[in-house]
Amino acid sequence: MSQELEVILSREKIEQRVAELAEEISRDYREHPPLLICVLKGAVIFLSDLMRFLKIPVEVDFMAVSSYGSATASSGVVRILKDLDQSIQGRDVLIVEDIVDTGLTLNYLRENLASRQPRSLKVVTLLDKPSRRKVPFDPDYCGFTIPDRFVVGYGLDFNEQYRQLPDICVLHNEG
Ligand code: IMP
């Protein structure tokens, strides 16, 4: 079976939208510089582009989570593979995620981090697939709303492949 890639969001379009998100975030957080929490691995490219457009000082930490089951069918059980290096108590925390699909991962993460008593807790996601939700979840900032298609590139993978693509593409399985 061969796989074909169809670009649905070009690198230029992504860059422009990431710059707009950074403007908005810089404005909202100018009084209280945030701690950015990047969810590994898919959000690393988004994080690194986003933070270079920000006009406020930020700190960064990383978390790795995994849902049991296959990558294309989230099971809803979330496991923390790597936790934060520091306490977030009293901090203004902004979770940086690549994509919200069923909402299960971020729903869990937001509850988990909220229990650590940050001063504020928001979520920025580059992509949102609202038609796939299993639990209600509204990101505070969102780059693009996309239809129910499996996408790769710009950090997003299929079986750990395609993360390095500069554009976001739909993966078509050909006969
Ligand atoms: P959720 O818990 O179903 O919202 O899934 C979130 C995670 O599933 C994301 O952080 C991605 O790692 C993965 N995921 C969901 N949809 C896609 C996709 O279209 N391409 C690549 N990964 C995806």
Side-chain angles (χ1 to χ4, degrees), residues 135-149:
V135 288
F137 188 89
D138 255 335
D140 301 279
Y141 306 92
C142 169
F144 302 95
T145 298
I146 61 166
D148 179 12
R149 311 292 295 279

Side-chain angles (χ1 to χ4, degrees), residues 76-167:
V77 184
V78 177
R79 200 162 41 124
I80 295 181
L81 303 176
K82 184 222 169 290
D83 208 337
L84 299 172
D85 293 337
Q86 57 192 286
S87 161
I88 58 167
Q89 192 169 13
R91 303 292 306 267
D92 290 282
V93 171
L94 180 60
I95 303 174
V96 180
E97 179 60 301
D98 51 0
I99 187 164
V100 189
D101 187 31
T102 62
L104 291 165
T105 305
L106 274 177
N107 201 46
Y108 169 84
L109 251 191
R110 193 158 63 177
E111 270 180 32
N112 181 290
L113 294 178
S115 73
R116 306 181 196 192
Q117 300 171 317
R119 183 174 174 278
S120 68
L121 181 60
K122 286 188 178 180
V123 173
V124 56
T125 183
L126 180 65
L127 304 175
D128 189 7
K129 282 199 269 193
S131 61
R132 294 256 312 159
R133 283 297 192 283
K134 286 187 183 161
V135 288
F137 188 89
D138 255 335
D140 301 279
Y141 306 92
C142 169
F144 302 95
T145 298
I146 61 166
D148 179 12
R149 311 292 295 279
F150 196 81
V151 291
V152 295
Y154 198 74
L156 290 143
D157 77 307
F158 175 67
N159 286 345
E160 295 300 326
Q161 299 296 304
Y162 306 109
R163 292 192 197 276
Q164 81 279 15
L165 298 176
D167 308 300

